[in-house]
Amino acid sequence: MKKIWIILTSFLVLIALIILGAKRFTGFNKNTSVEHSSAQLTEKSSKNNKANLHQQGKAINITIADQKISAHLYKNVTAKDLIQRLPITLSFSNFGSGFDEKIGDLSSKLTTQGMPTGEDPKVGDIGYWSPEPRSVFYWGDVGYYSGIHRIGHFDDVSKATQLIKQQKNTFKATIELAN
C-alpha cells in the first residue's frame, strides 16, 4: 500500500508540474505576443514620428546667383528654429571633394531636440549639420550620417540641384519666407 501511495503521490506531483508548466508556457506566449505587439506599435510610432518630422511646412525662397528657387521647410523643431532667423544670407561652399553638397555656416546652433540623431538626406533636401552649425544643400546622394537633420526640400529638385551644382566657388544664398 505504501508503494501505491508513493506512485500515486508522484503521479499527482507530476500532473501538477505539467499543469504549472503549461500555465507558465501559456503565460510566456502571452507576454511574448504582448511584447511583440508593443514592439510593432513602437516601430509604427517611430515611423509616424519620422513622417511627421518631414511634413511640408513653411514656404521659403532661396536666391542663388540672382535666381529665386522655391522650397519648403518641414514641420520640425530644427526648421522652426531656422524660420525664427529668416531672412538670412549665408556663404556656401563645397564641403569637400567627392561630397554632393554645399555648406553654409550659421552663426549659432539650431535646436535638434526630438530629432533623429542622423539621417540619409535625399537629393534636393535642405539639411542641418549639427556637429558644426551648418545649413546644407544636397545636390546628390551622400548617404546616412550621424549629425544630419533634414529640415526642408526644394520644390523643383532638378532646377535647384542643377543651380547648386553649378556653383564652383563660394557663393551667397539668401533664405527668406515666401510671400
Side-chain angles (χ1 to χ4, degrees):
M1 182 83 165
K2 189 174 181 181
K3 216 177 200 181
I4 293 176
W5 178 251
I6 292 173
I7 293 172
L8 186 58
T9 304
S10 298
F11 182 71
L12 291 174
V13 169
L14 182 60
I15 290 176
L17 288 174
I18 290 172
I19 291 171
L20 287 174
K23 283 186 178 179
R24 281 189 180 166
F25 184 73
T26 304
F28 177 77
N29 283 341
K30 285 180 185 174
N31 289 341
T32 302
S33 64
V34 168
E35 288 171 12
H36 184 67
S37 296
S38 176
Q40 285 177 329
L41 288 174
T42 302
E43 183 178 327
K44 194 174 196 177
S45 174
S46 176
K47 285 180 182 177
N48 287 341
N49 286 342
K50 285 182 181 179
N52 290 340
L53 290 174
H54 303 120
Q55 283 182 345
Q56 185 169 297
K58 290 277 188 186
I60 59 170
N61 289 317
I62 299 175
T63 305
I64 300 171
D66 296 322
Q67 292 188 49
K68 193 176 281 190
I69 305 166
S70 64
H72 279 81
L73 292 177
Y74 295 136
K75 290 182 180 179
N76 61 45
V77 296
T78 308
K80 288 176 184 175
D81 195 2
L82 180 63
I83 289 168
Q84 299 303 311
R85 301 175 188 205
L86 299 181
I88 189 170
T89 300
L90 302 172
S91 292
F92 280 81
S93 61
N94 290 322
F95 176 63
S97 176
F99 291 95
D100 297 344
E101 60 192 66
K102 303 287 184 171
I103 58 169
D105 291 338
L106 295 164
S107 60
S108 60
K109 290 184 175 249
L110 299 175
T111 185
T112 57
Q113 186 175 6
M115 295 288 286
T117 57
E119 293 190 69
D120 180 2
K122 310 295 180 235
V123 174
D125 271 349
I126 300 165
Y128 172 63
W129 174 247
S130 61
E132 298 174 26
R134 292 181 170 156
S135 181
V136 187
F137 298 152
Y138 297 99
W139 56 268
D141 184 20
V142 298
Y144 175 92
Y145 282 92
S146 182
I148 291 176
H149 309 280
R150 294 172 52 214
I151 61 170
H153 197 78
F154 288 99
D155 294 339
D156 185 339
V157 173
S158 178
K159 178 181 176 183
T161 57
Q162 181 180 10
L163 178 62
I164 293 165
K165 189 176 178 179
Q166 288 173 351
Q167 307 307 307
K168 299 298 180 197
N169 300 313
T170 300
F171 65 95
K172 299 264 187 217
T174 299
I175 306 168
E176 59 192 348
L177 289 173
N179 295 334

